[in-house]
Amino acid sequence: MDLQGYFNRIGFTGPYDKPDLDTLRTIHKLHVMTIPFENLSIHCGEKNTTDLHIIYDKLVKSNRGGWCCENNLLFSWVLKEMGYKYTTLGSKVFNKFQNDFYHVDSHLINMVEIDGKHYITDVSYGVSCQLWYPLEMISGKDQPQPPGVFRLLNNGETWVLEKTSRKQVVKDKVYANSSLIDKRLTKIMYCFPLTPRDKEHFVETLDCLQTSPDSRFVLKSICSLQTPNGFRALIGWTYSEIIYNPEEDSDLVVMKEIPDCEIEAVLQEKFNVVLVNKFTPKNNKANYCM
């Protein structure tokens, strides 16, 4: 694995001799603008893994994306190679239908310490809740970013990440009531303690997430990528482009259906993703929205 290969992949050309906050912010944003959050391997007869060499070959050499344990594990390796002091953490994602957090850690994140301050990095949540930059670990502080206002809350043992969004304005009224549209303005994303976790901590849960018929990742094929003014997503056959408009406190949502014969072209043109194995899109009912 080669750090320069990763830098070439995300388009980073700056100095990296000093592990400071400015550099961390730069590579965090470049990562989410270049490497998609996607679960397409599950729908191509492939299996996701926590093997870093396989992840590097997939995300860096093969220009693919990945889900949290791929993107954030790769990012943890980048942090180590660049000399950052970091800790990998496990988080429980919030289930809006059950109004509670999942009972197991299913989302991997990293905590970075710089000059005595701690920051959360997460380059793989995807869609409208994707962090563009690290979040400073200050409880209750509003931290505005282009996707909205993020906020970390601490009750002593556990941290909770939430986000305040703007109203989503759907251009085509046919999609106004789509289950993919999240009408909540304040969203709880996940919670986490500061207990260090290694990648083996996630193996059993990740196997379940890519095999269980009830898993959102089995029920839906997902590919999303941040753009300079929003993000784009292909969920099943539904392609969406979201344009952030903070001046009017709203986001424009443009959605359309993609026929099977054009799916591969959309993946290549909009996400720079070329699949080797046969891809079967899925968009069944599940706890997932943009």
Side-chain angles (χ1 to χ4, degrees):
M1 301 195 304
D2 173 44
L3 188 59
Q4 188 59 52
Y6 170 79
F7 289 156
N8 293 341
R9 170 77 166 101
I10 67 172
F12 176 69
T13 57
Y16 57 95
D17 55 328
K18 183 180 179 182
D20 57 20
L21 181 57
D22 286 343
T23 303
L24 180 63
R25 285 173 56 87
T26 298
I27 62 169
H28 196 290
K29 182 182 179 183
L30 286 172
H31 187 117
V32 303
M33 293 284 167
T34 309
I35 302 181
F37 170 82
E38 53 107 326
N39 70 337
L40 304 182
S41 289
I42 297 173
H43 304 282
C44 292
E46 303 163 1
K47 184 177 181 179
N48 291 328
T49 177
T50 57
D51 185 309
L52 260 175
H53 289 88
I54 295 176
I55 293 171
Y56 181 92
D57 286 348
K58 177 183 176 184
L59 275 61
V60 176
K61 292 184 177 180
S62 298
N63 282 353
R64 284 284 305 277
W67 61 359
C68 73
C69 267
E70 294 172 300
N71 273 302
N72 281 329
L73 266 180
L74 177 66
F75 202 71
S76 70
W77 171 79
V78 172
L79 293 171
K80 178 182 178 182
E81 293 297 303
M82 294 182 69
Y84 285 97
K85 183 179 179 181
Y86 77 96
T87 304
T88 296
L89 307 174
S91 65
K92 296 176 173 63
V93 175
F94 188 78
N95 184 325
K96 68 175 184 177
F97 294 117
Q98 297 179 358
N99 196 35
D100 200 358
F101 297 98
Y102 283 103
H103 65 285
V104 295
D105 291 342
S106 61
H107 187 64
L108 184 154
I109 58 177
N110 291 295
M111 179 177 66
V112 181
E113 181 179 349
I114 302 173
D115 297 331
K117 296 181 179 181
H118 291 84
Y119 302 85
I120 291 298
T121 67
D122 184 353
V123 295
S124 196
Y125 198 87
V127 292
S128 65
C129 286
Q130 177 59 60
L131 297 178
W132 284 22
Y133 305 104
L135 293 177
E136 187 174 1
M137 294 187 67
I138 298 179
S139 182
K141 178 183 179 181
D142 286 354
Q143 302 190 51
Q145 297 191 12
V149 179
F150 293 93
R151 192 177 305 105
L152 285 164
L153 304 171
N154 177 242
N155 66 7
E157 295 183 357
T158 303
W159 289 79
V160 175
L161 175 58
E162 65 178 27
K163 179 207 168 194
T164 299
S165 304
R166 297 175 288 270
K167 179 182 178 182
Q168 293 186 330
V169 178
V170 183
K171 183 176 181 180
D172 188 339
K173 300 307 177 185
V174 171
Y175 292 98
N177 294 316
S178 169
S179 62
L180 296 176
I181 301 297
D182 194 341
K183 297 182 180 181
R184 297 171 298 164
L185 293 183
T186 298
K187 311 169 188 178
I188 301 173
M189 294 171 56
Y190 49 76
C191 70
F192 57 95
L194 301 185
T195 307
R197 302 295 190 187
D198 57 26
K199 64 182 183 180
E200 283 72 26
H201 175 73
F202 302 91
V203 170
E204 184 176 348
T205 299
L206 295 183
D207 284 343
C208 180
L209 288 175
Q210 59 187 319
T211 58
S212 170
D214 298 324
S215 167
R216 71 176 77 178
F217 297 111
V218 173
L219 292 168
K220 290 185 182 294
S221 55
I222 302 163
C223 186
S224 78
L225 184 66
Q226 304 298 297
T227 66
N229 61 353
F231 70 91
R232 55 180 64 122
L234 179 65
I235 302 175
W237 296 265
T238 304
Y239 176 74
S240 305
E241 290 194 359
I242 287 72
I243 301 170
Y244 295 150
N245 190 6
E247 293 79 10
E248 298 184 10
D249 196 29
S250 64
D251 296 334
L252 179 63
V253 182
V254 181
M255 306 173 72
K256 65 178 181 179
E257 298 303 306
I258 306 296
D260 282 323
C261 62
E262 297 178 14
I263 290 287
E264 290 187 4
V266 169
L267 285 172
Q268 183 170 5
E269 177 184 348
K270 299 297 185 179
F271 304 94
N272 194 30
V273 168
V274 176
L275 300 175
V276 175
N277 296 319
K278 179 177 173 54
F279 170 54
T280 304
K282 293 281 184 65
N283 194 11
N284 297 307
K285 185 177 180 179
N287 174 29
Y288 190 81
C289 52
M290 298 187 298

